[in-house]
Structures are given as C-alpha cells and as structure tokens.
Amino acid sequence: MPWLQLRLAIEPEQAAELENALLEVGAVSVTFMDAADQPIFEPDLNTTPLWSHTHLLALFEGDVDETELIAHLRWLLGAELPEHHLEHIEDQDWERSWMDNFHPMRFGRRLWIVPSWHAAPEPDAVNLLLDPGLAFGTGTHPTTALCLEWLDAQTLAGEQVLDFGCGSGILAIAALLLGADHAIGTDIDIQAIEASRDNAKRNGIAEDRFALYLPEQLPAGQSDTVVANILAGPLVALAPQIIERVKPGGRLALSGILAEQADDVRAAYADAFRLDPTAEKDGWVRISGTRHK
C-alpha cells in the first residue's frame, strides 16, 4: 500500500501545535528534520529542540483524501498551513531502509557505537551495541558525541559513574565498557529506564553493575564521575543537586548546552569546580571540570 507524505516548512514555535493537529487527523508518524534532512534523534523529555529552519514530515495511509486532510488541518489550526508539499510514496520496508542509514561511529580513540545489526569495524575496540531510536540518545547528536569523546579520554578503572538523565543509557554503558566498575543511571522517564536496562543487557552488562532509578528513588551518595547530558535550564536549576553528587576531587561533564548558554551554565558550577575550557561541536558545547577537594 502506498503512503501519503505531507512535508511542512515550519518555525520552531509552530511545532507542538502542528504535531498535535497532524496526529489528530490520523498521521501514523511525525518526524522533525532540519534543512539538511538530518532527523532529531534525542529531544529531551517534553521538549522539542528544533533548528530555526525545520521541516515536519507526516505520514498517512495512502487512501486519505488530500483535500479533506488539508481542510481539516486548516480548521483545527484556524489558519492557513505553512508552506507544504504532498506526495505519494510507494510502500517499502521502512525499518530496513532506516537501519541501512545508521552506521558505526567512533568517538575518541577506543570507543565505537555500533548498531546491533552491524558488524563492528574494529572487533578489538570498545564496541557499544545500540539500537537507535527517536526518543533517546544514539550518539548522532553533538551533545552525546561530546560526552562520549570526553569519557573515552578519561581513566575510569574502578570508578563509579552517575549518568544524570540517562536516556538510552549510552553514556553509563560506555563508561562501564571503558573500565568503570559501577554505574548509576537516573531519568524522569520510565521508558528511558527500560531502554537503558535493555541496552545494558545487549552489551553484556551484569545487572549488579548498572543500577537504574527514577529521581525520587535515587539513593544518597557521591560518584567519582558524573555526566549530565540534559539541557541548559535544568543544568542551572539542578546545579546544587548535581554538584553534591560529585565526590571531592571527582569529575563532571555537562552537555545539552547551546554555545550562547555556556556562560550561564559555567557560572552555576564555577565555585565548586576547576573548569576546563569549553568544548564545542556544531553549536553545542560540553562543560567539564574537577570538583575542588
């Protein structure tokens, strides 16, 4: 069966309203893309961080009446649609096509993120097997890449690592594969907890090495290394709690921060940490440092 695809050129502030309207009129999937057609793989929970020039793709069953669809959307929105284009697409194995476009990626010297269906390019390297997904981290986003590269450069042997906002668990699992003794993951989304647990199992991580908690269940204590790849606002608001989780002399890496937000985040942690120079990738930054003893 063919499919009908609706592509809309939108502004970020239109995203939530249009997404809700498209789902209400029967879209079977909604995807946000930038001008270069790169999908957003890991928006933070309850947020939609978008590029300034964003395309919204909605997929409908092919027998949908195009005229009625557009009219219904206009009625729901109470306004004309943004610039848009409709096209019919032949049926295909969408999952297979998407899988074919996701390839192993190296971060730093030792670490590879490898789709679970793909052979590892360097079998003797540190290979983290992962099934990519829309909601949680895959390593494709610059913020995740910055954290993975930082972890690869650390000496983690025998340490405990806390992944604050763990998503897919990619950072905690990477730390364990890179030599950490134990990891803790916490996230406000129960689906993130489940995804982290599944990915740990896929990578042969024993249950007693990776503890997962919702924030209200997280036990007291401090870790040798803390990573938090969330967003700038929560990183500033939660700075006292995050700082307290790092042992004196321990290390911290923060990401999910746009370049123009770096000064505010650094200021929230500067008194407690000796901060490294800010690292930047594609407009996103990582802030790291060592807690004063």
Side-chain angles (χ1 to χ4, degrees):
M1 179 184 72
W3 298 89
L4 177 67
Q5 179 176 272
L6 172 61
R7 179 186 289 261
L8 299 104
I10 70 169
E11 301 297 326
E13 58 269 18
Q14 299 174 294
E17 183 181 15
L18 281 166
E19 181 182 19
N20 290 337
L22 289 162
L23 292 172
E24 186 167 337
V25 297
V28 298
S29 72
V30 177
T31 306
F32 297 100
M33 316 281 288
D34 77 357
D37 288 339
Q38 175 185 351
I40 295 177
F41 286 106
E42 48 183 314
D44 195 67
L45 183 68
N46 296 325
T47 71
T48 310
L50 298 175
W51 294 272
S52 57
H53 299 290
T54 299
H55 287 166
L56 189 157
L57 301 182
L59 196 65
F60 297 86
E61 294 184 356
D63 58 359
V64 169
D65 186 292
E66 297 179 22
T67 302
E68 289 185 6
L69 171 64
I70 298 300
H72 195 174
L73 281 170
R74 287 172 176 158
W75 178 79
L76 283 174
L77 296 169
E80 287 295 316
L81 291 183
E83 179 184 346
H84 60 278
H85 175 70
L86 283 164
E87 63 177 321
H88 286 276
I89 301 174
E90 291 302 314
D91 196 12
Q92 60 173 297
D93 184 346
W94 291 103
E95 181 180 6
R96 181 73 260 169
S97 176
W98 180 70
M99 288 167 62
D100 287 345
N101 290 318
F102 191 86
H103 304 289
M105 297 170 288
R106 187 172 69 180
F107 299 92
R109 297 180 297 105
R110 301 169 290 167
L111 179 64
W112 284 84
I113 304 300
V114 182
S116 59
W117 59 85
H118 202 291
E122 295 184 13
D124 294 333
V126 177
N127 292 297
L128 194 163
L129 304 180
L130 193 71
D131 280 334
L134 177 64
F136 307 117
T138 62
T140 59
H141 196 279
T143 62
T144 311
L146 285 163
C147 290
L148 290 169
E149 290 165 357
W150 183 83
L151 284 169
D152 179 77
Q154 308 307 309
T155 301
L156 300 172
E159 291 195 354
Q160 174 174 284
V161 175
L162 170 62
D163 185 353
F164 196 96
C166 58
S168 66
I170 185 172
L171 299 181
I173 296 168
L176 290 166
L177 294 176
L178 288 164
D181 184 64
H182 186 258
I184 298 170
T186 183
D187 202 287
I188 60 176
D189 190 341
I190 189 64
Q191 291 184 337
I193 300 296
E194 294 171 358
S196 294
R197 185 173 290 115
D198 289 344
N199 283 320
K201 184 177 180 180
R202 181 174 292 111
N203 284 276
I205 301 297
E207 290 185 11
D208 61 357
R209 295 185 64 208
F210 189 16
L212 289 156
Y213 302 96
L214 293 169
E216 61 272 18
Q217 300 170 339
L218 187 63
Q222 296 181 315
S223 296
D224 304 287
T225 296
V226 174
V227 288
N229 181 21
I230 44 178
L231 292 175
L235 287 173
V236 172
L238 296 171
Q241 295 96 307
I242 294 173
I243 290 169
E244 188 54 35
R245 291 283 172 178
V246 186
K247 290 180 179 179
R251 292 165 297 197
L252 174 70
L254 309 171
S255 197
I257 308 160
L258 292 167
E260 57 267 28
Q261 300 168 327
D263 288 345
D264 290 340
V265 178
R266 289 183 70 92
Y269 292 84
D271 288 344
F273 288 85
R274 184 178 71 254
L275 296 176
D276 304 320
T278 300
E280 183 172 348
K281 182 186 289 288
D282 299 335
W284 297 87
V285 302
R286 180 191 69 230
I287 295 169
S288 61
T290 304
R291 186 173 182 186
H292 297 308
K293 294 183 179 180

